[in-house]
Amino acid sequence: MTRRFSASLLLAATLGGCVSPGPRVPKPVAAAVTPPAAWRTDLQPGGPVTADWWTGFGDPALTALVAQALANNVDIAIAAGRVEEARAAEALSRAQLSPQVGGSLPETQGQTLSPFGTPSRAIGTQPVITASYDLDLFGRLRLASRAARAQLLASEGARDTVRLATAASAASGYVVLRALDQRLQIARETLAARSDALRIARRRYEAGYSSRLEYRQSQAEYASTQQLVPAAHLAITRQENALSLLVGDVPGPIARGVPINRLRLPAIPDGLPASLLRQRPDIFQAEQTLVAADLSLDSQRAAFLPNIALTGSVGLVLSTALSNPVGVFSLGASGLAPIFDAGRLRAQENAATARRDQAAFAYRRTALSAFREVDDALAGVQRTGEQATALVEQVNASRGALENARNRYRAGYSSYIEQLDAQRSLLTAELSLVQAESDQLTSFVTLYQAMGGGWRPGTPLSPATDAVSRP
């Protein structure tokens, strides 16, 4: 597995490319974030990788488990709730840009005097419609609305990050479960073989063909293998319970599919460009958080400038004392500007600047972490594959050695210790092979997660087409 990436991604070549600097307070200096030199290649992307990357393992039970986790996971539901909260906040900020219209219908009662001095009771109403509109000459409200939009997109990125992590956890957890099943099967098969060896050792000891030492060694080896079975059962139960919680269900058994040694290794297309990392939901979230922080800073700076609002009202005066209704209206404008606030606005601006700087460095950290995770995953896929290949050869050699040691022992050419060593070597090699196969499959899961969970050429996973950006 070679690391074939294009160096087309400059996630944060200059963070000022995403957001424009404000006056007085400079942006934090950030060096270019470029892919490692080993990723550079001119190869074209290979076959497309679908977003349902877990189907590449060829196990319907795994596919169903991931689908159930994505549908019922509690963390995803919580993240979706946060998205709805951010959507409501964005709608509220947009509403500030529209005129505010209200109305009232007060009723009055009183007494009037006629020309003849006869008092009478008068009842009147005055329906009034009022309207107010903030001209927002300096863009304070518009900037706040765009910042709320960026926060909404950031919350969607956070939700997609949770979904990606849930799918990866379900897939890797299933792989671990199948590895534990394989370990249990190996323990049972080895225990059956040790049971036969113990029976033969007992018969040879009782017949006087072997010493008590060999019989005791056989007993100890049988007991050593026997304890592997309940340990494997315990690990399986805990893993099933963990997966049940992940899929939003009560503890219980998990449906199985194909054995771990029959799970397919998904194909990784050659020449994937490093720009695909921009589609990672956590990078998208960090980018939109930075955009929101910068827009909030600009909105806070606009608060230093005058604010002009228009107000007006129109209504009628209806009364039993009047023969005809009387129309009334008013129109006015108000301008507010800060004169002295004891440094309140300046302190709010400094706080917004600090939050913007934190978001900038958090964006850079997320980009660097993404490169590291992909590099670690690529190395894991390559090295665990090499390890599994070597362990297959070791298992085959250990089986041949055990067969030779068993034949020599039964023929009386060697002691029982040779057969015992061969049995231990085979058991260790088989368990190591299962672990290597599990690590290799888990490395593929980690790689897909590090690359954003799957993609199609030209189709971003996150809603980047609606992303808020700055010139």
Side-chain angles (χ1 to χ4, degrees):
M1 179 66 63
T2 58
R3 305 173 193 171
R4 297 177 178 177
F5 279 81
S6 168
S8 60
L9 175 59
L10 300 177
L11 275 179
T14 55
L15 290 179
C18 292
V19 287
S20 59
R24 295 184 303 278
V25 182
K27 282 197 171 183
V29 178
V33 181
T34 57
W39 290 12
R40 299 179 180 177
T41 178
D42 295 329
L43 294 178
Q44 297 297 320
V49 180
T50 64
D52 299 336
W53 49 267
W54 49 86
T55 60
F57 292 99
D59 191 341
L62 171 58
T63 301
L65 182 69
V66 174
Q68 184 180 1
L70 293 177
N72 302 327
N73 183 262
V74 177
D75 293 332
I76 295 178
I78 294 174
R82 294 195 180 101
V83 171
E84 294 304 317
E85 181 182 0
R87 182 171 287 112
E90 191 264 342
L92 178 61
S93 66
R94 264 190 291 111
Q96 302 297 322
L97 299 173
S98 302
Q100 308 297 312
V101 181
S104 62
L105 187 64
E107 180 178 342
T108 60
Q109 295 185 5
Q111 291 186 351
T112 62
L113 295 176
S114 67
F116 303 98
T118 303
S120 62
R121 177 171 291 275
I123 301 175
T125 60
Q126 186 178 348
V128 177
I129 297 177
T130 61
S132 62
Y133 179 64
D134 193 327
L135 294 181
D136 193 27
L137 295 178
F138 303 101
R140 176 178 55 86
L141 297 179
R142 291 191 298 272
L143 289 169
S145 178
R146 292 182 63 189
R149 173 63 178 171
Q151 286 289 5
L152 171 59
L153 294 177
S155 66
E156 291 179 349
R159 177 203 58 198
D160 293 342
T161 300
V162 175
R163 287 179 56 85
L164 176 57
T166 300
S169 297
S172 59
Y174 181 83
V175 169
V176 172
L177 180 61
R178 297 306 284 149
L180 292 173
D181 291 338
Q182 188 69 16
R183 290 176 67 92
L184 177 59
Q185 181 180 350
I186 292 173
R188 286 172 173 172
E189 292 175 353
T190 305
L191 185 62
R194 299 285 171 82
S195 178
D196 292 339
L198 177 61
R199 185 177 64 255
I200 294 174
R202 181 185 298 111
R203 290 172 56 186
R204 288 173 62 88
Y205 166 69
E206 293 174 351
Y209 290 116
S210 63
S211 64
R212 185 179 181 88
L213 174 61
E214 292 182 356
Y215 174 56
R216 290 300 188 188
Q217 287 176 331
S218 181
Q219 281 184 318
E221 200 64 22
Y222 177 82
S224 175
T225 305
Q226 190 178 30
Q227 61 87 25
L228 295 178
V229 175
H233 277 297
L234 176 60
I236 288 173
T237 301
R238 290 175 174 173
Q239 188 66 18
E240 286 181 326
N241 292 342
L243 286 174
S244 297
L245 177 62
L246 187 66
V247 300
D249 202 354
V250 296
I254 299 296
R256 267 52 160 205
V258 300
I260 189 173
N261 54 2
R262 292 176 53 192
L263 288 173
R264 293 201 303 261
L265 297 178
I268 300 177
D270 292 334
L272 292 175
S275 58
L276 287 173
L277 266 68
R278 284 199 64 126
Q279 298 175 163
R280 279 178 50 130
D282 57 343
I283 290 181
F284 180 80
Q285 176 189 359
E287 181 179 1
Q288 293 306 311
T289 301
L290 174 57
V291 171
D294 196 58
L295 289 169
S296 297
L297 175 59
D298 289 346
S299 177
Q300 188 61 48
R301 287 172 178 168
F304 285 92
L305 303 175
N307 184 36
I308 299 177
L310 300 178
T311 59
S313 65
V314 61
L316 293 174
V317 178
L318 305 174
S319 176
T320 56
L322 299 175
S323 59
N324 296 313
V326 177
V328 295
F329 72 93
S330 67
L331 180 64
S334 63
L336 297 176
I339 298 177
F340 176 74
D341 63 356
R344 186 177 293 107
L345 290 178
R346 180 67 64 188
Q348 292 174 351
E349 181 200 14
N350 293 339
T353 301
R355 287 192 294 269
R356 192 274 314 273
D357 293 349
Q358 294 174 46
F361 286 114
Y363 179 45
R364 174 176 171 81
R365 179 187 61 192
T366 303
L368 293 175
S369 298
F371 288 132
R372 176 200 169 183
E373 290 172 5
V374 172
D375 200 67
D376 289 348
L378 286 171
V381 168
Q382 178 181 0
R383 301 309 176 189
T384 54
E386 295 172 355
Q387 183 182 12
T389 301
L391 284 170
V392 168
E393 298 178 358
Q394 182 182 357
V395 168
N396 293 333
S398 298
R399 285 174 180 167
L402 176 59
E403 185 66 22
N404 293 336
R406 184 182 295 116
N407 293 336
R408 286 172 56 84
Y409 172 68
R410 291 177 179 177
Y413 292 116
S414 63
S415 63
Y416 178 72
I417 194 64
E418 290 187 5
Q419 178 179 334
L420 187 60
D421 289 341
Q423 289 175 339
R424 291 172 178 171
S425 297
L426 177 60
L427 177 60
T428 301
E430 288 179 333
L431 295 178
S432 298
L433 177 59
V434 172
Q435 186 62 47
E437 291 174 340
S438 175
D439 292 342
Q440 186 179 21
L441 292 168
T442 304
S443 296
F444 275 92
V445 174
T446 304
L447 178 60
Y448 280 109
Q449 183 180 8
M451 291 301 299
W455 54 85
R456 293 181 185 275
T459 304
L461 268 183
S462 299
T465 53
D466 300 329
V468 176
S469 60
R470 299 295 301 271

